[in-house]
Amino acid sequence: MIDINQTPEWETLKKDAEMLEGVSVRSLFETDPDRFSRFSIEAAGLFLDYSKNKITEEVAGHLLALAGVADLEGARARMLAGEAINVTEKRAVLHPALRDFSSRDYFVDGENISRKVRAELAKMKAFAQDIHSGARKGHTGKPLTSVVNIGIGGSDLGPLMATEALRPYWIEGRRAFFVSNVDGQHMADTLALVDPETTLFIVASKTFTTQETMTNAETAKRWFLSHGAREADIAKHFIALSTNAHAVKAFGIAPENMFEFWDWVGGRYSLWSAIGMSIALQVGFDNFEKLLRGAHAMDEHFRSAPLRENMPVMLALAGVWNRNFLGAASHAVLPYDQHLHRLPAYLQQADMESNGKRVTCDGAPVGYATGPVIFGEPGTNGQHAFYQLIHQGTDLVSADFIAPAISQEEIGDHHEKLLSNFLAQTEALMRGKTEREAREEMKRDGYAQSEIDRLAPHRTFPGDRPANSILMEKLTPETLGALIALYEHKIFCQGVIWGVNSFDQWGVELGKTLAKTILPEIAKAGEERPVAKGHDASTAGLINRINQIRSRST
Ligand code: F6P
C-alpha cells in the first residue's frame, strides 16, 4: 500500500496550498468569469457548486492526480465487482446492488446476489401492501396503523432521516416511531403514544445482538404481552430485519416474519435493504422504490462519469483538499430544508464511523489527517447558533449547504427567505469582509472615528471559508436517494485516498466491552453494591457515587 503523503502528488498539493496562501477565492472569481461553470456538476437531479472552495484548475488537476496514484478508479471497480474490500471483516461492500434496477447482476464469491435482492424486495413489497390494504391485521382484527422501529445506528438513523425527509409522502393515518436509545425513557415515551392492538414493532438489527436494540425489543414484547396479548399474537405484531436468522428465531420471531439482508451491506449503508421497511410502510412501497431509483441514478453517474465531472469524486477531492492541505478539521452539513433535520446526524455516522480511522488497510499508522468531525443543523437555525465560529473563529470549518429550489411546503414567502439565507451564507463565507470594507461601512452609517477604530477588528471577516452548495429542484424520494448515494460515494472516495477501511468500525467495540463489565457493578434502585474495584480512580469513584445514590432510592 502506498504512503499517500509520501507521494510527489501529495507534495505538489502542499506547494499549491502554500502558493495560494495570499490568494482569496473572491479574487479567483474576479479573474475567471467561467469559475462557476468550471467548478460545478449536475447529475441525478442534483447540482453541485464547489466553486467557493479555494480550488483552481491546477489544484483540481493535482487532486485528480492524487486520486490516480491512490487508484481510485481501480478501487471503485473492485467495490462494484464484489471484492472483499472490507479487509478486516473480509466482506464485500455492495450496497449499490440493493438499488440497481438495471439488468446487471452482482456476485459475491461467485454467488448471484441480485436474485436474492430482488426476492427480498418483492417480499417487502407484498408485506407493505398487506399492511396498507389491511389484509394483515393485529391480533384483535384492527389494522396496524402505527410502526415502532427498534434499532440503533444504521438500523435507526437512515430510516428515521428518510422518513422525516419524506413527510409530505406519508400515508394518511399512519404513524412511524423510532426507538434507539437504551435509556428506558425513549421506549416508555413511545409506548405511551401507541396502542398495542394497532402497532407493528420492527426489530431492526443487522447482528441481532446489539444491547440497546435487544433490550428495547424485550421491553416492547413484555409491554405487548402485558396489554392483553398472548405469545401467539407476537407473530402478528413483531417482525425482524436482520442478517442473523438464528438470533431472530431465538427471540421468538418466526422466519416468515423476518426480512433478510446480508453481511455485504454495512449497517450505515443499509437503509436500501430490508432496514428500509419502516420507510416503505410510512411512505408506501412505490416511494421507497423511487428512493432506491434515485440512489441508482447517482450510482450510474459515479460508475461512469469521468473523474473530473464526477460529482462524488470532486466533492470528495474538495474535502481532501480542505482537510489535508488547508487544515479544516471539521465539516458542517447544513440542510436548508427542515425535513432534512436528521441528515447531519445520519451523515455523522456515515462519515465518522467510516473514515474516523488512524491506520491504513494494512495496519500502518496514517501520517496525515483522515475523516473530519461532522456536525450540523438545518438552516437557518444553525445561523443563530454556531455559524459565528465558522465565519470568524480561529479554526477553518468547511461546509455543505443543501437546498431545494422549491419547498415541499411553499407557504407565503418562507422559502424565498430561506433561500436568500442559504445563498447569503455561502457568499459571506467566501467573500468575508476586509477591515477596509468594515471601516467604510461604519463611516457610511455615521459612526464616530473612535468607534470605527474600536469596532473594525470585530466587524472584519476573513472569508475563504470553503462551502459547497448542493441544489435540487425539490426534495423527493428520487432526489433524496441521489443525495444519500452522493455522500456514500464521497465517503468511499475519501477512504480510498486516505487508504483506510471505510467499512469496519472497531472503534465502537472497546466501550461496548467495558460497559458489559461495569453493568453488574451498577446497583439496582434500593440495593447495596460492593465498592467498585479494578477501575481507574475516576471510574471507580463515579460508580461508587452512583451506587450510593441509587441504593438510597426506592
Ligand atoms: O456500534 C456500531 C454499530 O455496529 C453500527 O455500525 C451499526 O449501525 C449499529 O451498531 C447497529 O448495529 P445492528 O444493526 O447490528 O444492531
Side-chain angles (χ1 to χ4, degrees):
M1 182 150 224
I2 54 149
D3 244 343
I4 194 78
N5 66 337
Q6 301 303 317
T7 60
E9 288 76 7
W10 187 278
E11 246 345 275
T12 304
L13 284 159
K14 264 168 74 178
K15 288 202 188 99
D16 288 341
E18 277 163 28
M19 298 235 304
L20 285 168
E21 227 162 75
V23 179
S24 67
V25 180
R26 202 200 273 214
S27 69
L28 296 178
F29 273 104
E30 281 158 9
T31 53
D32 180 4
D34 291 336
R35 188 169 172 80
F36 175 63
S37 54
R38 198 190 288 284
F39 298 111
S40 57
I41 299 174
E42 188 158 19
L46 302 184
F47 181 84
L48 166 70
D49 166 30
Y50 62 103
S51 63
K52 289 189 178 98
N53 288 275
K54 198 186 259 192
I55 287 179
T56 60
E57 199 54 59
E58 229 184 357
V59 170
H62 294 157
L63 285 165
L64 287 164
L66 190 72
V69 83
D71 190 23
L72 179 58
E73 286 175 291
R76 179 182 60 186
R78 283 191 291 281
M79 172 174 78
L80 295 171
E83 279 187 33
I85 62 163
N86 175 353
V87 286
T88 58
E89 297 177 316
K90 297 189 181 148
R91 287 176 186 166
V93 175
L94 273 179
H95 44 275
L98 297 167
R99 56 210 188 196
D100 194 330
F101 291 93
S102 72
S103 53
R104 189 182 287 128
D105 281 340
Y106 292 78
F107 293 85
V108 173
D109 295 331
E111 188 193 7
N112 183 336
I113 57 160
S114 299
R115 283 198 204 120
K116 291 200 215 173
V117 169
R118 288 177 200 126
E120 210 56 28
L121 269 179
K123 188 176 164 190
M124 280 176 78
K125 183 176 183 175
F127 181 81
Q129 280 171 348
D130 283 353
I131 292 281
H132 294 144
S133 69
R136 189 179 167 123
K137 293 188 171 59
H139 71 286
T140 57
K142 291 189 181 169
L144 292 163
T145 49
S146 292
V147 160
V148 177
N149 186 84
I150 303 173
I152 197 164
S155 302
D156 167 72
L157 287 164
L160 169 57
M161 177 274 291
T163 302
E164 285 293 294
L166 299 178
R167 210 167 244 273
Y169 297 84
W170 285 8
I171 296 172
E172 216 185 310
R174 296 206 61 80
R175 296 185 311 165
F177 300 90
F178 293 84
V179 178
S180 52
N181 202 331
V182 76
D183 182 342
Q185 298 177 110
H186 200 178
M187 181 54 88
D189 293 348
T190 306
L191 292 178
L193 301 173
V194 296
D195 175 351
E197 292 179 55
T198 57
T199 300
L200 177 74
F201 291 96
I202 299 181
V203 188
S205 175
K206 180 175 171 182
T207 56
F208 232 72
T209 57
T210 304
Q211 185 198 48
E212 292 91 334
T213 301
M214 299 328 296
T215 306
N216 281 325
E218 289 292 352
T219 300
K221 191 159 81 173
R222 271 199 309 278
W223 175 85
F224 177 67
L225 293 173
S226 69
H227 282 73
R230 295 158 304 140
E231 285 281 340
D233 301 327
I234 288 175
K236 292 200 160 126
H237 289 261
F238 282 76
I239 62 167
L241 320 173
S242 188
T243 59
N244 187 349
H246 186 70
V248 167
K249 202 163 169 221
F251 177 84
I253 294 179
E256 62 270 22
N257 290 327
M258 171 179 162
F259 295 83
E260 197 191 358
F261 60 113
W262 307 275
D263 71 356
W264 44 265
V265 182
R268 51 194 175 274
Y269 300 90
S270 65
L271 75 86
W272 323 101
S273 71
I275 289 293
M277 180 65 95
S278 50
I279 310 171
L281 291 177
Q282 191 60 20
V283 302
F285 191 85
D286 288 352
N287 284 321
F288 179 65
E289 190 177 311
K290 285 179 185 167
L291 178 80
L292 269 53
R293 285 186 185 276
H296 176 58
M298 183 55 75
D299 292 345
E300 291 294 291
H301 166 78
F302 175 57
R303 179 193 285 274
S304 59
L307 298 194
R308 179 68 181 82
E309 292 147 40
N310 197 306
M311 193 183 285
V313 171
M314 294 315 292
L315 189 62
L317 292 178
V320 167
W321 170 244
N322 291 326
R323 179 79 180 109
N324 297 109
F325 302 97
L326 303 185
S330 320
H331 182 76
V333 176
L334 308 167
Y336 278 65
D337 188 306
Q338 186 57 31
H339 289 162
L340 286 174
H341 69 112
R342 293 303 285 164
L343 184 71
Y346 170 76
L347 289 178
Q348 242 165 12
Q349 187 201 11
D351 200 313
M352 294 171 81
E353 208 172 66
S354 296
N355 287 340
K357 309 284 162 69
R358 56 190 292 116
V359 295
T360 60
C361 285
D362 49 18
V366 296
Y368 41 86
T370 61
V373 173
I374 304 288
F375 72 103
E377 277 291 323
T380 58
N381 293 359
Q383 290 176 205
H384 299 272
F386 54 80
Y387 280 34
Q388 163 65 41
L389 185 147
I390 307 182
H391 281 288
Q392 287 188 315
T394 50
D395 284 328
L396 184 72
V397 179
S398 55
D400 291 345
F401 286 73
I402 303 160
I406 301 166
S407 174
Q408 290 172 338
E409 297 285 351
E410 290 275 341
I411 313 172
D413 62 355
H414 283 253
H415 204 58
E416 292 92 308
K417 285 179 175 154
L418 185 69
L419 287 172
S420 65
N421 276 281
F422 162 81
L423 294 163
Q425 288 298 327
T426 61
E427 189 169 38
L429 287 166
M430 183 275 291
R431 287 184 64 84
K433 192 191 282 177
T434 63
E435 184 168 338
R436 212 175 93 206
E437 285 168 338
R439 284 176 177 277
E440 278 167 9
E441 189 182 82
M442 284 187 279
K443 211 166 173 183
R444 269 199 313 274
D445 291 348
Y447 280 74
Q449 190 57 45
S450 59
E451 274 300 272
I452 294 177
D453 291 343
R454 193 172 71 82
L455 291 176
H458 301 278
R459 298 180 65 150
T460 300
F461 291 65
D464 287 348
R465 298 333 213 200
N468 300 304
S469 300
I470 301 172
L471 264 183
M472 62 195 88
E473 186 178 316
K474 202 170 177 181
L475 184 59
T476 62
E478 289 92 340
T479 52
L480 178 66
L483 182 69
I484 304 166
L486 166 66
Y487 276 105
E488 288 179 343
H489 296 318
K490 172 208 158 172
I491 292 163
F492 167 76
C493 293
Q494 293 191 332
V496 171
I497 306 266
W498 290 324
V500 299
N501 180 2
S502 302
F503 302 103
D504 60 10
Q505 56 283 320
W506 299 102
V508 299
E509 293 305 321
L510 179 59
K512 281 189 196 173
T513 312
L514 290 182
K516 277 192 194 133
T517 317
I518 293 173
L519 179 60
E521 300 177 69
I522 307 286
K524 294 212 174 300
E527 278 181 18
E528 299 281 340
R529 273 287 183 282
V531 171
K533 291 201 186 90
H535 299 282
D536 60 87
S538 161
T539 310
L542 289 166
I543 294 173
N544 292 332
R545 205 175 169 84
I546 287 170
N547 283 347
Q548 276 164 21
I549 300 168
R550 290 183 63 81
S551 65
R552 286 199 300 268
S553 88
T554 46

